[in-house]
Amino acid sequence: MGEIDLTSSQRLTITTLINEYQATGEPVNARALADETDRNAGTVRNQMRTLTSIGLAEGIAGPKGGYEPTDAAYRILGRRQLDDAETVTLAREYDRVDATVDEIDFTNVHHPDLCRAQIHFQQSVRDLEEGDPIVVGPSPVSSLVVLGEITAIEETNNVVIVDVEELQAPLRDDPSTSS
């Protein structure tokens, strides 16, 4: 399959399809996609025909049918299919939510007043808002906790930019120095 250039609307639809499919493990119908993207179900059905024809979605017939993302859909968004993904806790306005984080990229850690983190979630970030205080973590392996304020949200890619106020990670004994 050659390189596919998606419109922002198509990218949002595929991102939403993957988010919903990973949350339920079931085909996602056009009505659910339309509700999540604030669009008309007929428009979404037309768009899904196009996305199915280019190999990014598969139509599932029947009363419990809908659409499932293909391997190509995950690849084009730079995501992985997660069977037994580890989750981290996301706290926003005192609400705790289990979320799957693909990666956390620190855009600047050399200057303490300018430290920002780009956090890529597997779930929709639609309910988050700029200015919200946020706590992400502890991460499964390093127990890293990121505390800060949301400065930008990229809904199409499930990315949140956080102005980092504090990073926490426990110190661990180095097993190579233990006797």
Side-chain angles (χ1 to χ4, degrees), residues 66-88:
Y67 302 94
E68 292 181 353
T70 64
D71 291 341
Y74 287 91
R75 278 193 307 276
I76 202 160
L77 295 180
R79 291 178 59 176
R80 298 175 308 221
Q81 293 186 45
L82 302 174
D83 295 327
D84 294 322
E86 293 286 340
T87 61
V88 296

Side-chain angles (χ1 to χ4, degrees), residues 17 27-28 48 51-53 56-62 65-70:
L17 174 63
V28 182
M48 290 309 298
L51 294 171
T52 299
S53 71
L56 298 180
E58 179 180 346
I60 307 298
Y67 302 94
E68 292 181 353
T70 64

